[in-house]
Amino acid sequence: MTHPIIEALRGNEAQFTELRRYFHQHPEIGFEEHNTSDRVAALLQEWGYEVHRGLAKTGVVGTLKVGNGHKRLGLRADMDALPMQENSGKAWSSTVEGKFHGCGHDGHTTTLLFAAEYLARTRNFNGTLHLIFQPAEELLYGGRVMLEDGLFDLFPCDHIFGLHNMPSQPVGKIGLRDGAMMASSDTLHIEVNGVGGHGAVPEHTVDATLVACHITVALQSIVSRNITPFQPAVVTVGSIQAGHAPNIINDKVLMKLTVRTLDERVRQTVLQRIHDIAVAQAESFNATATIRHINGSPVLKNNPQANEMVRSVATDLFGQDSVAEVNAFMGSEDFAFMLEKNPNGCYFTLGAGDEPDRCMVHNPGYDFNDNILLTGAALWAALTEHYLR
């Protein structure tokens, strides 16, 4: 027998599929989600939510109070797209050159709006519901900026939840993990300064490119020699920007790194070792290295009691086999800032399908699976009715 919430949502499935595809056609990157924000705010207002705008520039919070209950629940969706070109070939492909919803945030936003309409129409709960539409998740600090702008001061939440679609996971399957689920993320820039000159007379130079290469190789020793094999860590040098001509020895090189860990102490160890190795390697060549920490987000940690709430609600909605325990993974998510501030919550995955030809997120051929819009909306609605009883 189909759950009543699913039946109540089914009639609007086509409407929200069309909305999701509209968002997909009109992607906006971090802190530029003006059209998306306008559309979200207008719909929430139309349905009777009290709407607040301006947190983290383009953030939207919709609040609905029903009855006299004192509990306060927060549900969060991200809104931003990626600065990449789409080649999915779908009829609703991005209309904006070089911008693309390649991670499914169009689907996350639509899923929460789908649930928002149902919850405003039925009002089958007692308490305060805060729907948080966050910008700039892909920059990995939009969530932090919302907090700095007073998110939880203005909209206190007893519990807070977030989700992410997950290709490679069976369609509709809910993925949960207690404790550390997603990695911290730190972006570092290392500027190497040497002495430039003619490529024919290297003895009169300090080759910054050579120094950067030695630093890159030395950094690979951190995970293998400074971190226990029982703690995951990743150090990736994704960019080395030097000169353009073959006969010029460069005086400056910019290295760009990403660092991922699942433990805060490991994170601090890795960051310190990067600094020490870069400085020492540069000095050994009579060069200098300057390290800048561009941004960082903490380890995402789930509360086991919050996980159990999601597990119970999902099982009631979809059956015993609808939930799976998943492994931690080294991708990062700035919802971690919100869980760090308010640990009474969790982040879970929603399976988008494990077919061999289904593209992973951040792939130019990716598209959100519209078949899981109803699944996610039903879970948000049921979680609200369960917690705000």
Side-chain angles (χ1 to χ4, degrees), residues 239-350:
S239 174
I240 300 178
Q241 300 174 3
H244 303 283
N247 62 342
I248 297 175
I249 290 176
N250 301 293
D251 63 339
K252 288 185 180 181
V253 172
L254 178 62
M255 304 170 61
K256 297 182 178 181
L257 291 72
T258 186
V259 179
R260 313 289 174 118
T261 70
L262 285 172
D263 180 271
E264 190 60 34
R265 287 174 298 179
V266 172
R267 180 188 184 193
Q268 295 307 318
T269 297
V270 173
L271 292 175
Q272 185 63 49
R273 289 297 296 141
I274 289 172
H275 176 275
D276 295 346
I277 287 172
V279 169
Q281 282 285 342
E283 287 179 352
S284 74
F285 287 93
N286 292 322
T288 62
T290 304
I291 297 89
R292 285 196 300 138
H293 187 269
I294 303 303
N295 59 54
S297 60
V299 177
L300 186 148
K301 297 178 182 177
N302 282 336
N303 181 294
Q305 288 73 38
N307 270 352
E308 186 54 41
M309 192 188 310
V310 174
R311 185 179 294 107
S312 173
V313 169
T315 300
D316 182 54
L317 265 178
F318 308 118
Q320 195 67 41
D321 296 329
S322 62
V323 182
E325 301 300 313
V326 296
N327 294 324
F329 48 105
M330 301 305 287
S332 302
E333 162 61 68
D334 78 348
F335 187 62
F337 284 111
M338 296 187 187
L339 287 177
E340 183 180 56
K341 184 77 172 178
N342 180 358
N344 297 316
C346 75
Y347 187 78
F348 55 90
T349 55
L350 176 58

Side-chain angles (χ1 to χ4, degrees), residues 60 75-77 112 130-134 146 151 160 338:
V60 180
L75 305 179
R76 173 269 199 177
L112 191 52
H130 297 306
L131 303 183
I132 302 163
F133 293 85
Q134 182 209 303
M146 286 197 90
L151 176 64
I160 185 164
M338 296 187 187

Side-chain angles (χ1 to χ4, degrees), residues 155-172:
F155 309 101
C157 299
D158 302 314
H159 280 73
I160 185 164
F161 297 89
L163 68 73
H164 203 293
N165 80 100
M166 187 56 65
S168 78
Q169 190 171 298
V171 68

